[in-house]
Amino acid sequence: MASTRSESTLVSIGSPRRRAVASALATALLATLTPAAPATAATAAGPSSTQQAAAGPSSVRQAAAGTVKVRGQVNRPRSFTMARLRGLPQHTVRVRYQTSHGAEKHTFTGPLLSDVLQLTEPRIDPDVKNAQLRLVVTATGSDGYRAALAWAELDPAFSGKKVLLAVTQDGAKLDEEGPRLVVPGDVKGGRYVSGVVRLHVGDTDALDPA
Ligand SMILES: Nc1nc2c(c(=O)[nH]1)N[C@H]1C(S)=C(S)[C@@H](COP(=O)(O)O)O[C@H]1N2
Ligand SMILES: [Mo]
């Protein structure tokens, strides 16, 4: 119960993850705009989205959030802006999941994670049977939060589910905090990583070379 209790304690003062993401964004913004200024004002007050919008031009906000780097076992490592993610074929999913603060029900839109990753050309050995099933993908948020998926889970042809890198939640753009991993079918919300800044494609052969 220890982990549940600590999560509940945080929840009692608000939404810890949103605060963490917003706080990281505000700190990055402050560092960009006023490098010498201490971040105490923004972190103590908890920045509102209005304050963030008023803080500077959109180019500054873009630099702080909304760009996803893809690295690892890929032939073409690259970054995706929110605009680029919106330019890919868009899918819509309606999902529900459980959190420490109750049940959540949301509609997300965005590209399939598999479509995003295919553009980076994951290295798959054609001489190994179902080599793609050996791959794992991690998604990391701006707060360092991370969750892993096996390749088969994010391949809609395999799992039958649409795993998204969502750019909207309930019709609202996620441009401020960045895209969100959406894993339909997950009972708990833990893999709905918010503010994704990095995707890593890994080969499990490196973990178990035998
Ligand atoms: N970046 C980031 N994403 C995160 C978390 C986090 O701490 N950081 N918490 C996860 C957990 S444990 C849950 S239950 C859900 C909560 O989703 P909600 O904010 O839509 O309720 O977000 C997930 N995504
Ligand atoms: Mo959670």
Side-chain angles (χ1 to χ4, degrees), residues 7 15-18 20-21 97-104 106 108 140-146 169 177 180-181 188-196:
E7 194 169 18
S15 172
R17 194 261 309 151
R18 273 185 203 287
V21 170
Y97 52 86
Q98 291 165 10
T99 76
S100 55
H101 48 270
E104 297 279 331
H106 297 292
F108 292 97
T140 305
S142 58
D143 57 352
Y145 186 84
R146 177 177 289 177
Q169 177 169 330
E177 62 182 294
R180 187 167 194 188
L181 187 66
K188 296 179 79 172
R191 294 202 294 183
Y192 283 74
V193 181
S194 289
V196 175

PDB file of all heavy atoms in Angstrom, residues 7 15-18 20-21 97-104 106 108 140-146 169 177 180-181 188-196, ligand 1:
ATOM      1  N   GLU A   7       0.950   8.157  -3.614  1.00  0.00           N
ATOM      2  CA  GLU A   7       0.276   8.774  -4.751  1.00  0.00           C
ATOM      3  C   GLU A   7      -0.951   9.538  -4.271  1.00  0.00           C
ATOM      4  O   GLU A   7      -1.197  10.660  -4.686  1.00  0.00           O
ATOM      5  CB  GLU A   7      -0.123   7.702  -5.772  1.00  0.00           C
ATOM      6  CG  GLU A   7      -0.523   8.276  -7.111  1.00  0.00           C
ATOM      7  CD  GLU A   7      -0.654   7.201  -8.174  1.00  0.00           C
ATOM      8  OE1 GLU A   7      -0.778   6.017  -7.821  1.00  0.00           O
ATOM      9  OE2 GLU A   7      -0.628   7.551  -9.353  1.00  0.00           O
ATOM     10  N   SER A  15      -3.442  17.651  -9.054  1.00  0.00           N
ATOM     11  CA  SER A  15      -3.015  16.662 -10.022  1.00  0.00           C
ATOM     12  C   SER A  15      -1.497  16.725 -10.125  1.00  0.00           C
ATOM     13  O   SER A  15      -0.960  17.616 -10.770  1.00  0.00           O
ATOM     14  CB  SER A  15      -3.657  16.949 -11.388  1.00  0.00           C
ATOM     15  OG  SER A  15      -3.108  16.103 -12.359  1.00  0.00           O
ATOM     16  N   PRO A  16      -0.776  15.816  -9.456  1.00  0.00           N
ATOM     17  CA  PRO A  16       0.673  15.941  -9.352  1.00  0.00           C
ATOM     18  C   PRO A  16       1.371  15.922 -10.698  1.00  0.00           C
ATOM     19  O   PRO A  16       2.333  16.650 -10.913  1.00  0.00           O
ATOM     20  CB  PRO A  16       1.060  14.704  -8.521  1.00  0.00           C
ATOM     21  CG  PRO A  16      -0.082  13.752  -8.672  1.00  0.00           C
ATOM     22  CD  PRO A  16      -1.303  14.605  -8.827  1.00  0.00           C
ATOM     23  N   ARG A  17       0.884  15.054 -11.619  1.00  0.00           N
ATOM     24  CA  ARG A  17       1.584  14.919 -12.883  1.00  0.00           C
ATOM     25  C   ARG A  17       1.429  16.171 -13.726  1.00  0.00           C
ATOM     26  O   ARG A  17       2.391  16.671 -14.280  1.00  0.00           O
ATOM     27  CB  ARG A  17       1.074  13.669 -13.603  1.00  0.00           C
ATOM     28  CG  ARG A  17       1.927  13.223 -14.733  1.00  0.00           C
ATOM     29  CD  ARG A  17       1.358  13.689 -16.030  1.00  0.00           C
ATOM     30  NE  ARG A  17      -0.042  13.318 -16.092  1.00  0.00           N
ATOM     31  CZ  ARG A  17      -0.922  14.022 -16.773  1.00  0.00           C
ATOM     32  NH1 ARG A  17      -0.574  15.100 -17.388  1.00  0.00           N
ATOM     33  NH2 ARG A  17      -2.180  13.638 -16.803  1.00  0.00           N
ATOM     34  N   ARG A  18       0.199  16.715 -13.796  1.00  0.00           N
ATOM     35  CA  ARG A  18       0.001  17.949 -14.553  1.00  0.00           C
ATOM     36  C   ARG A  18       0.849  19.069 -13.970  1.00  0.00           C
ATOM     37  O   ARG A  18       1.424  19.862 -14.688  1.00  0.00           O
ATOM     38  CB  ARG A  18      -1.464  18.374 -14.523  1.00  0.00           C
ATOM     39  CG  ARG A  18      -2.248  17.718 -15.618  1.00  0.00           C
ATOM     40  CD  ARG A  18      -3.668  18.225 -15.653  1.00  0.00           C
ATOM     41  NE  ARG A  18      -4.528  17.254 -16.292  1.00  0.00           N
ATOM     42  CZ  ARG A  18      -4.523  17.030 -17.602  1.00  0.00           C
ATOM     43  NH1 ARG A  18      -3.728  17.713 -18.378  1.00  0.00           N
ATOM     44  NH2 ARG A  18      -5.312  16.127 -18.119  1.00  0.00           N
ATOM     45  N   ALA A  20       3.607  18.725 -12.349  1.00  0.00           N
ATOM     46  CA  ALA A  20       5.012  18.474 -12.666  1.00  0.00           C
ATOM     47  C   ALA A  20       5.327  18.890 -14.098  1.00  0.00           C
ATOM     48  O   ALA A  20       6.324  19.553 -14.355  1.00  0.00           O
ATOM     49  CB  ALA A  20       5.331  16.992 -12.458  1.00  0.00           C
ATOM     50  N   VAL A  21       4.455  18.511 -15.026  1.00  0.00           N
ATOM     51  CA  VAL A  21       4.675  18.845 -16.429  1.00  0.00           C
ATOM     52  C   VAL A  21       4.622  20.352 -16.619  1.00  0.00           C
ATOM     53  O   VAL A  21       5.495  20.951 -17.245  1.00  0.00           O
ATOM     54  CB  VAL A  21       3.631  18.141 -17.326  1.00  0.00           C
ATOM     55  CG1 VAL A  21       3.709  18.669 -18.748  1.00  0.00           C
ATOM     56  CG2 VAL A  21       3.854  16.637 -17.304  1.00  0.00           C
ATOM     57  N   TYR A  97      -9.956   4.649 -18.247  1.00  0.00           N
ATOM     58  CA  TYR A  97      -8.900   4.023 -17.457  1.00  0.00           C
ATOM     59  C   TYR A  97      -9.020   4.496 -16.020  1.00  0.00           C
ATOM     60  O   TYR A  97      -9.644   5.523 -15.740  1.00  0.00           O
ATOM     61  CB  TYR A  97      -7.509   4.353 -18.025  1.00  0.00           C
ATOM     62  CG  TYR A  97      -7.239   5.814 -18.255  1.00  0.00           C
ATOM     63  CD1 TYR A  97      -6.767   6.637 -17.237  1.00  0.00           C
ATOM     64  CD2 TYR A  97      -7.455   6.389 -19.511  1.00  0.00           C
ATOM     65  CE1 TYR A  97      -6.523   7.980 -17.459  1.00  0.00           C
ATOM     66  CE2 TYR A  97      -7.212   7.725 -19.740  1.00  0.00           C
ATOM     67  CZ  TYR A  97      -6.745   8.522 -18.711  1.00  0.00           C
ATOM     68  OH  TYR A  97      -6.514   9.857 -18.935  1.00  0.00           O
ATOM     69  N   GLN A  98      -8.415   3.701 -15.139  1.00  0.00           N
ATOM     70  CA  GLN A  98      -8.488   4.012 -13.716  1.00  0.00           C
ATOM     71  C   GLN A  98      -7.239   4.751 -13.268  1.00  0.00           C
ATOM     72  O   GLN A  98      -6.135   4.459 -13.717  1.00  0.00           O
ATOM     73  CB  GLN A  98      -8.654   2.721 -12.899  1.00  0.00           C
ATOM     74  CG  GLN A  98     -10.009   2.079 -13.098  1.00  0.00           C
ATOM     75  CD  GLN A  98     -10.053   0.640 -12.606  1.00  0.00           C
ATOM     76  OE1 GLN A  98      -9.129   0.167 -11.940  1.00  0.00           O
ATOM     77  NE2 GLN A  98     -11.118  -0.057 -12.957  1.00  0.00           N
ATOM     78  N   THR A  99      -7.440   5.711 -12.373  1.00  0.00           N
ATOM     79  CA  THR A  99      -6.323   6.442 -11.789  1.00  0.00           C
ATOM     80  C   THR A  99      -6.498   6.475 -10.280  1.00  0.00           C
ATOM     81  O   THR A  99      -7.537   6.057  -9.758  1.00  0.00           O
ATOM     82  CB  THR A  99      -6.273   7.899 -12.300  1.00  0.00           C
ATOM     83  OG1 THR A  99      -7.290   8.668 -11.637  1.00  0.00           O
ATOM     84  CG2 THR A  99      -6.493   7.968 -13.809  1.00  0.00           C
ATOM     85  N   SER A 100      -5.499   6.988  -9.599  1.00  0.00           N
ATOM     86  CA  SER A 100      -5.583   7.086  -8.141  1.00  0.00           C
ATOM     87  C   SER A 100      -6.654   8.089  -7.718  1.00  0.00           C
ATOM     88  O   SER A 100      -7.087   8.089  -6.577  1.00  0.00           O
ATOM     89  CB  SER A 100      -4.225   7.508  -7.579  1.00  0.00           C
ATOM     90  OG  SER A 100      -3.809   8.705  -8.196  1.00  0.00           O
ATOM     91  N   HIS A 101      -7.080   8.948  -8.679  1.00  0.00           N
ATOM     92  CA  HIS A 101      -8.139   9.908  -8.350  1.00  0.00           C
ATOM     93  C   HIS A 101      -9.459   9.546  -9.032  1.00  0.00           C
ATOM     94  O   HIS A 101     -10.299  10.408  -9.242  1.00  0.00           O
ATOM     95  CB  HIS A 101      -7.696  11.336  -8.682  1.00  0.00           C
ATOM     96  CG  HIS A 101      -7.094  11.478 -10.065  1.00  0.00           C
ATOM     97  ND1 HIS A 101      -5.747  11.319 -10.315  1.00  0.00           N
ATOM     98  CD2 HIS A 101      -7.647  11.749 -11.259  1.00  0.00           C
ATOM     99  CE1 HIS A 101      -5.513  11.482 -11.589  1.00  0.00           C
ATOM    100  NE2 HIS A 101      -6.645  11.746 -12.204  1.00  0.00           N
ATOM    101  N   GLY A 102      -9.607   8.265  -9.401  1.00  0.00           N
ATOM    102  CA  GLY A 102     -10.885   7.809  -9.938  1.00  0.00           C
ATOM    103  C   GLY A 102     -10.820   7.417 -11.397  1.00  0.00           C
ATOM    104  O   GLY A 102      -9.742   7.383 -11.997  1.00  0.00           O
ATOM    105  N   ALA A 103     -11.993   7.098 -11.975  1.00  0.00           N
ATOM    106  CA  ALA A 103     -12.065   6.659 -13.366  1.00  0.00           C
ATOM    107  C   ALA A 103     -12.023   7.864 -14.298  1.00  0.00           C
ATOM    108  O   ALA A 103     -12.607   8.911 -14.016  1.00  0.00           O
ATOM    109  CB  ALA A 103     -13.342   5.869 -13.585  1.00  0.00           C
ATOM    110  N   GLU A 104     -11.297   7.712 -15.400  1.00  0.00           N
ATOM    111  CA  GLU A 104     -11.207   8.770 -16.420  1.00  0.00           C
ATOM    112  C   GLU A 104     -11.791   8.224 -17.720  1.00  0.00           C
ATOM    113  O   GLU A 104     -11.622   7.053 -18.052  1.00  0.00           O
ATOM    114  CB  GLU A 104      -9.746   9.167 -16.663  1.00  0.00           C
ATOM    115  CG  GLU A 104      -9.058   9.769 -15.464  1.00  0.00           C
ATOM    116  CD  GLU A 104      -9.396  11.241 -15.289  1.00  0.00           C
ATOM    117  OE1 GLU A 104      -9.681  11.923 -16.290  1.00  0.00           O
ATOM    118  OE2 GLU A 104      -9.378  11.702 -14.124  1.00  0.00           O
ATOM    119  N   HIS A 106     -12.016   9.543 -21.789  1.00  0.00           N
ATOM    120  CA  HIS A 106     -11.560  10.609 -22.685  1.00  0.00           C
ATOM    121  C   HIS A 106     -11.601  10.177 -24.152  1.00  0.00           C
ATOM    122  O   HIS A 106     -11.545   8.989 -24.463  1.00  0.00           O
ATOM    123  CB  HIS A 106     -10.125  11.033 -22.349  1.00  0.00           C
ATOM    124  CG  HIS A 106      -9.962  11.610 -20.986  1.00  0.00           C
ATOM    125  ND1 HIS A 106     -10.503  12.821 -20.615  1.00  0.00           N
ATOM    126  CD2 HIS A 106      -9.340  11.130 -19.886  1.00  0.00           C
ATOM    127  CE1 HIS A 106     -10.206  13.064 -19.355  1.00  0.00           C
ATOM    128  NE2 HIS A 106      -9.504  12.059 -18.880  1.00  0.00           N
ATOM    129  N   PHE A 108      -9.336  10.785 -27.549  1.00  0.00           N
ATOM    130  CA  PHE A 108      -8.034  11.270 -28.020  1.00  0.00           C
ATOM    131  C   PHE A 108      -7.962  11.182 -29.536  1.00  0.00           C
ATOM    132  O   PHE A 108      -8.524  10.259 -30.138  1.00  0.00           O
ATOM    133  CB  PHE A 108      -6.904  10.407 -27.436  1.00  0.00           C
ATOM    134  CG  PHE A 108      -6.701  10.536 -25.953  1.00  0.00           C
ATOM    135  CD1 PHE A 108      -7.268   9.621 -25.081  1.00  0.00           C
ATOM    136  CD2 PHE A 108      -5.935  11.575 -25.429  1.00  0.00           C
ATOM    137  CE1 PHE A 108      -7.070   9.730 -23.710  1.00  0.00           C
ATOM    138  CE2 PHE A 108      -5.736  11.696 -24.059  1.00  0.00           C
ATOM    139  CZ  PHE A 108      -6.308  10.769 -23.198  1.00  0.00           C
ATOM    140  N   THR A 140       8.940   8.538 -22.861  1.00  0.00           N
ATOM    141  CA  THR A 140       9.371   9.292 -21.684  1.00  0.00           C
ATOM    142  C   THR A 140       8.742  10.676 -21.695  1.00  0.00           C
ATOM    143  O   THR A 140       8.756  11.364 -22.721  1.00  0.00           O
ATOM    144  CB  THR A 140      10.911   9.422 -21.667  1.00  0.00           C
ATOM    145  OG1 THR A 140      11.480   8.121 -21.754  1.00  0.00           O
ATOM    146  CG2 THR A 140      11.395  10.111 -20.399  1.00  0.00           C
ATOM    147  N   GLY A 141       8.187  11.081 -20.560  1.00  0.00           N
ATOM    148  CA  GLY A 141       7.579  12.398 -20.423  1.00  0.00           C
ATOM    149  C   GLY A 141       8.595  13.450 -20.013  1.00  0.00           C
ATOM    150  O   GLY A 141       9.720  13.123 -19.613  1.00  0.00           O
ATOM    151  N   SER A 142       8.199  14.710 -20.092  1.00  0.00           N
ATOM    152  CA  SER A 142       9.099  15.811 -19.754  1.00  0.00           C
ATOM    153  C   SER A 142       9.492  15.784 -18.281  1.00  0.00           C
ATOM    154  O   SER A 142      10.487  16.387 -17.891  1.00  0.00           O
ATOM    155  CB  SER A 142       8.442  17.155 -20.095  1.00  0.00           C
ATOM    156  OG  SER A 142       7.216  17.283 -19.403  1.00  0.00           O
ATOM    157  N   ASP A 143       8.708  15.066 -17.464  1.00  0.00           N
ATOM    158  CA  ASP A 143       9.037  14.941 -16.040  1.00  0.00           C
ATOM    159  C   ASP A 143       9.872  13.700 -15.749  1.00  0.00           C
ATOM    160  O   ASP A 143      10.145  13.378 -14.596  1.00  0.00           O
ATOM    161  CB  ASP A 143       7.746  14.900 -15.207  1.00  0.00           C
ATOM    162  CG  ASP A 143       6.801  13.765 -15.625  1.00  0.00           C
ATOM    163  OD1 ASP A 143       7.078  13.103 -16.651  1.00  0.00           O
ATOM    164  OD2 ASP A 143       5.789  13.562 -14.939  1.00  0.00           O
ATOM    165  N   GLY A 144      10.280  12.976 -16.809  1.00  0.00           N
ATOM    166  CA  GLY A 144      11.093  11.778 -16.634  1.00  0.00           C
ATOM    167  C   GLY A 144      10.276  10.511 -16.450  1.00  0.00           C
ATOM    168  O   GLY A 144      10.838   9.416 -16.413  1.00  0.00           O
ATOM    169  N   TYR A 145       8.959  10.644 -16.343  1.00  0.00           N
ATOM    170  CA  TYR A 145       8.086   9.467 -16.223  1.00  0.00           C
ATOM    171  C   TYR A 145       8.214   8.627 -17.493  1.00  0.00           C
ATOM    172  O   TYR A 145       8.320   9.183 -18.591  1.00  0.00           O
ATOM    173  CB  TYR A 145       6.640   9.926 -16.027  1.00  0.00           C
ATOM    174  CG  TYR A 145       5.662   8.818 -15.746  1.00  0.00           C
ATOM    175  CD1 TYR A 145       5.475   8.313 -14.466  1.00  0.00           C
ATOM    176  CD2 TYR A 145       4.888   8.280 -16.775  1.00  0.00           C
ATOM    177  CE1 TYR A 145       4.567   7.303 -14.206  1.00  0.00           C
ATOM    178  CE2 TYR A 145       3.970   7.278 -16.534  1.00  0.00           C
ATOM    179  CZ  TYR A 145       3.819   6.789 -15.244  1.00  0.00           C
ATOM    180  OH  TYR A 145       2.907   5.798 -14.998  1.00  0.00           O
ATOM    181  N   ARG A 146       8.215   7.303 -17.349  1.00  0.00           N
ATOM    182  CA  ARG A 146       8.471   6.444 -18.516  1.00  0.00           C
ATOM    183  C   ARG A 146       7.659   5.164 -18.443  1.00  0.00           C
ATOM    184  O   ARG A 146       7.447   4.614 -17.359  1.00  0.00           O
ATOM    185  CB  ARG A 146       9.962   6.111 -18.556  1.00  0.00           C
ATOM    186  CG  ARG A 146      10.361   5.180 -19.671  1.00  0.00           C
ATOM    187  CD  ARG A 146      11.860   4.975 -19.685  1.00  0.00           C
ATOM    188  NE  ARG A 146      12.568   6.182 -20.139  1.00  0.00           N
ATOM    189  CZ  ARG A 146      13.889   6.296 -20.185  1.00  0.00           C
ATOM    190  NH1 ARG A 146      14.650   5.312 -19.779  1.00  0.00           N
ATOM    191  NH2 ARG A 146      14.450   7.403 -20.633  1.00  0.00           N
ATOM    192  N   GLN A 169      -6.838  15.975 -26.632  1.00  0.00           N
ATOM    193  CA  GLN A 169      -7.567  15.240 -25.593  1.00  0.00           C
ATOM    194  C   GLN A 169      -8.896  15.946 -25.403  1.00  0.00           C
ATOM    195  O   GLN A 169      -8.922  17.127 -25.055  1.00  0.00           O
ATOM    196  CB  GLN A 169      -6.762  15.219 -24.286  1.00  0.00           C
ATOM    197  CG  GLN A 169      -7.494  14.530 -23.137  1.00  0.00           C
ATOM    198  CD  GLN A 169      -6.611  14.279 -21.926  1.00  0.00           C
ATOM    199  OE1 GLN A 169      -5.402  14.080 -22.049  1.00  0.00           O
ATOM    200  NE2 GLN A 169      -7.208  14.277 -20.737  1.00  0.00           N
ATOM    201  N   GLU A 177       1.695  20.973 -23.428  1.00  0.00           N
ATOM    202  CA  GLU A 177       2.463  19.979 -22.676  1.00  0.00           C
ATOM    203  C   GLU A 177       3.091  18.921 -23.566  1.00  0.00           C
ATOM    204  O   GLU A 177       3.997  18.214 -23.133  1.00  0.00           O
ATOM    205  CB  GLU A 177       1.609  19.334 -21.600  1.00  0.00           C
ATOM    206  CG  GLU A 177       0.406  18.564 -22.090  1.00  0.00           C
ATOM    207  CD  GLU A 177      -0.395  18.003 -20.905  1.00  0.00           C
ATOM    208  OE1 GLU A 177       0.135  17.136 -20.182  1.00  0.00           O
ATOM    209  OE2 GLU A 177      -1.532  18.432 -20.734  1.00  0.00           O
ATOM    210  N   ARG A 180       0.500  12.801 -26.024  1.00  0.00           N
ATOM    211  CA  ARG A 180       0.247  11.831 -24.960  1.00  0.00           C
ATOM    212  C   ARG A 180       0.124  10.427 -25.539  1.00  0.00           C
ATOM    213  O   ARG A 180      -0.581  10.215 -26.530  1.00  0.00           O
ATOM    214  CB  ARG A 180      -1.042  12.205 -24.216  1.00  0.00           C
ATOM    215  CG  ARG A 180      -1.273  11.353 -22.990  1.00  0.00           C
ATOM    216  CD  ARG A 180      -2.338  11.901 -22.085  1.00  0.00           C
ATOM    217  NE  ARG A 180      -2.263  11.218 -20.809  1.00  0.00           N
ATOM    218  CZ  ARG A 180      -3.140  11.337 -19.831  1.00  0.00           C
ATOM    219  NH1 ARG A 180      -4.167  12.161 -19.967  1.00  0.00           N
ATOM    220  NH2 ARG A 180      -2.991  10.664 -18.708  1.00  0.00           N
ATOM    221  N   LEU A 181       0.811   9.494 -24.901  1.00  0.00           N
ATOM    222  CA  LEU A 181       0.684   8.092 -25.289  1.00  0.00           C
ATOM    223  C   LEU A 181      -0.695   7.596 -24.867  1.00  0.00           C
ATOM    224  O   LEU A 181      -1.124   7.823 -23.736  1.00  0.00           O
ATOM    225  CB  LEU A 181       1.777   7.268 -24.613  1.00  0.00           C
ATOM    226  CG  LEU A 181       1.884   5.804 -25.032  1.00  0.00           C
ATOM    227  CD1 LEU A 181       2.318   5.677 -26.487  1.00  0.00           C
ATOM    228  CD2 LEU A 181       2.864   5.066 -24.119  1.00  0.00           C
ATOM    229  N   LYS A 188      -5.534   0.385 -16.112  1.00  0.00           N
ATOM    230  CA  LYS A 188      -5.002   1.518 -15.347  1.00  0.00           C
ATOM    231  C   LYS A 188      -4.343   2.529 -16.292  1.00  0.00           C
ATOM    232  O   LYS A 188      -3.887   2.169 -17.375  1.00  0.00           O
ATOM    233  CB  LYS A 188      -3.998   1.023 -14.301  1.00  0.00           C
ATOM    234  CG  LYS A 188      -4.662   0.129 -13.242  1.00  0.00           C
ATOM    235  CD  LYS A 188      -3.679  -0.375 -12.214  1.00  0.00           C
ATOM    236  CE  LYS A 188      -3.368   0.677 -11.162  1.00  0.00           C
ATOM    237  NZ  LYS A 188      -2.545   0.091 -10.061  1.00  0.00           N
ATOM    238  N   GLY A 189      -4.313   3.770 -15.864  1.00  0.00           N
ATOM    239  CA  GLY A 189      -3.841   4.854 -16.731  1.00  0.00           C
ATOM    240  C   GLY A 189      -2.348   5.061 -16.765  1.00  0.00           C
ATOM    241  O   GLY A 189      -1.867   5.994 -17.398  1.00  0.00           O
ATOM    242  N   GLY A 190      -1.599   4.182 -16.110  1.00  0.00           N
ATOM    243  CA  GLY A 190      -0.169   4.401 -15.946  1.00  0.00           C
ATOM    244  C   GLY A 190       0.630   4.566 -17.226  1.00  0.00           C
ATOM    245  O   GLY A 190       1.659   5.230 -17.236  1.00  0.00           O
ATOM    246  N   ARG A 191       0.158   3.945 -18.325  1.00  0.00           N
ATOM    247  CA  ARG A 191       0.934   4.068 -19.573  1.00  0.00           C
ATOM    248  C   ARG A 191       0.441   5.211 -20.453  1.00  0.00           C
ATOM    249  O   ARG A 191       0.963   5.394 -21.564  1.00  0.00           O
ATOM    250  CB  ARG A 191       0.934   2.744 -20.332  1.00  0.00           C
ATOM    251  CG  ARG A 191       1.691   1.646 -19.572  1.00  0.00           C
ATOM    252  CD  ARG A 191       2.164   0.526 -20.471  1.00  0.00           C
ATOM    253  NE  ARG A 191       1.056  -0.240 -21.050  1.00  0.00           N
ATOM    254  CZ  ARG A 191       1.225  -1.307 -21.833  1.00  0.00           C
ATOM    255  NH1 ARG A 191       2.453  -1.717 -22.155  1.00  0.00           N
ATOM    256  NH2 ARG A 191       0.183  -1.956 -22.316  1.00  0.00           N
ATOM    257  N   TYR A 192      -0.513   5.974 -19.967  1.00  0.00           N
ATOM    258  CA  TYR A 192      -0.948   7.159 -20.726  1.00  0.00           C
ATOM    259  C   TYR A 192       0.034   8.302 -20.456  1.00  0.00           C
ATOM    260  O   TYR A 192      -0.316   9.324 -19.872  1.00  0.00           O
ATOM    261  CB  TYR A 192      -2.377   7.545 -20.337  1.00  0.00           C
ATOM    262  CG  TYR A 192      -3.435   6.660 -20.948  1.00  0.00           C
ATOM    263  CD1 TYR A 192      -3.652   5.369 -20.479  1.00  0.00           C
ATOM    264  CD2 TYR A 192      -4.209   7.117 -22.007  1.00  0.00           C
ATOM    265  CE1 TYR A 192      -4.611   4.552 -21.049  1.00  0.00           C
ATOM    266  CE2 TYR A 192      -5.181   6.308 -22.582  1.00  0.00           C
ATOM    267  CZ  TYR A 192      -5.375   5.025 -22.096  1.00  0.00           C
ATOM    268  OH  TYR A 192      -6.334   4.226 -22.672  1.00  0.00           O
ATOM    269  N   VAL A 193       1.272   8.111 -20.914  1.00  0.00           N
ATOM    270  CA  VAL A 193       2.344   9.067 -20.597  1.00  0.00           C
ATOM    271  C   VAL A 193       2.038  10.434 -21.214  1.00  0.00           C
ATOM    272  O   VAL A 193       1.832  10.550 -22.419  1.00  0.00           O
ATOM    273  CB  VAL A 193       3.707   8.550 -21.107  1.00  0.00           C
ATOM    274  CG1 VAL A 193       4.813   9.540 -20.755  1.00  0.00           C
ATOM    275  CG2 VAL A 193       4.006   7.163 -20.546  1.00  0.00           C
ATOM    276  N   SER A 194       2.025  11.442 -20.391  1.00  0.00           N
ATOM    277  CA  SER A 194       1.770  12.813 -20.849  1.00  0.00           C
ATOM    278  C   SER A 194       3.072  13.533 -21.169  1.00  0.00           C
ATOM    279  O   SER A 194       4.125  13.204 -20.618  1.00  0.00           O
ATOM    280  CB  SER A 194       1.038  13.600 -19.757  1.00  0.00           C
ATOM    281  OG  SER A 194      -0.266  13.152 -19.626  1.00  0.00           O
ATOM    282  N   GLY A 195       2.972  14.508 -22.025  1.00  0.00           N
ATOM    283  CA  GLY A 195       4.125  15.347 -22.333  1.00  0.00           C
ATOM    284  C   GLY A 195       5.297  14.538 -22.837  1.00  0.00           C
ATOM    285  O   GLY A 195       6.442  14.734 -22.396  1.00  0.00           O
ATOM    286  N   VAL A 196       5.028  13.631 -23.800  1.00  0.00           N
ATOM    287  CA  VAL A 196       6.097  12.761 -24.311  1.00  0.00           C
ATOM    288  C   VAL A 196       7.162  13.611 -25.024  1.00  0.00           C
ATOM    289  O   VAL A 196       6.850  14.410 -25.902  1.00  0.00           O
ATOM    290  CB  VAL A 196       5.544  11.696 -25.284  1.00  0.00           C
ATOM    291  CG1 VAL A 196       6.672  10.874 -25.904  1.00  0.00           C
ATOM    292  CG2 VAL A 196       4.553  10.774 -24.570  1.00  0.00           C
TER     293      VAL A 196
HETATM  294  N1  LIG B   1       4.375  12.347 -17.836  1.00  0.00           N
HETATM  295  C1  LIG B   1       3.588  11.644 -16.992  1.00  0.00           C
HETATM  296  N2  LIG B   1       2.547  10.982 -17.490  1.00  0.00           N
HETATM  297  C2  LIG B   1       1.742  10.260 -16.670  1.00  0.00           C
HETATM  298  C3  LIG B   1       1.994  10.192 -15.277  1.00  0.00           C
HETATM  299  C4  LIG B   1       3.114  10.916 -14.778  1.00  0.00           C
HETATM  300  O1  LIG B   1       3.408  10.933 -13.578  1.00  0.00           O
HETATM  301  N3  LIG B   1       3.880  11.637 -15.674  1.00  0.00           N
HETATM  302  N4  LIG B   1       1.171   9.449 -14.471  1.00  0.00           N
HETATM  303  C5  LIG B   1       0.443   8.347 -15.107  1.00  0.00           C
HETATM  304  C6  LIG B   1      -0.554   7.764 -14.254  1.00  0.00           C
HETATM  305  S1  LIG B   1       0.034   6.830 -12.962  1.00  0.00           S
HETATM  306  C7  LIG B   1      -1.899   7.876 -14.507  1.00  0.00           C
HETATM  307  S2  LIG B   1      -3.035   6.991 -13.609  1.00  0.00           S
HETATM  308  C8  LIG B   1      -2.404   8.770 -15.559  1.00  0.00           C
HETATM  309  C9  LIG B   1      -3.399   9.759 -15.002  1.00  0.00           C
HETATM  310  O2  LIG B   1      -4.044  10.322 -16.093  1.00  0.00           O
HETATM  311  P1  LIG B   1      -5.032  11.579 -15.978  1.00  0.00           P
HETATM  312  O3  LIG B   1      -4.181  12.769 -15.671  1.00  0.00           O
HETATM  313  O4  LIG B   1      -5.700  11.680 -17.297  1.00  0.00           O
HETATM  314  O5  LIG B   1      -5.990  11.296 -14.877  1.00  0.00           O
HETATM  315  O6  LIG B   1      -1.365   9.503 -16.202  1.00  0.00           O
HETATM  316  C10 LIG B   1      -0.196   8.764 -16.433  1.00  0.00           C
HETATM  317  N5  LIG B   1       0.699   9.582 -17.211  1.00  0.00           N
END
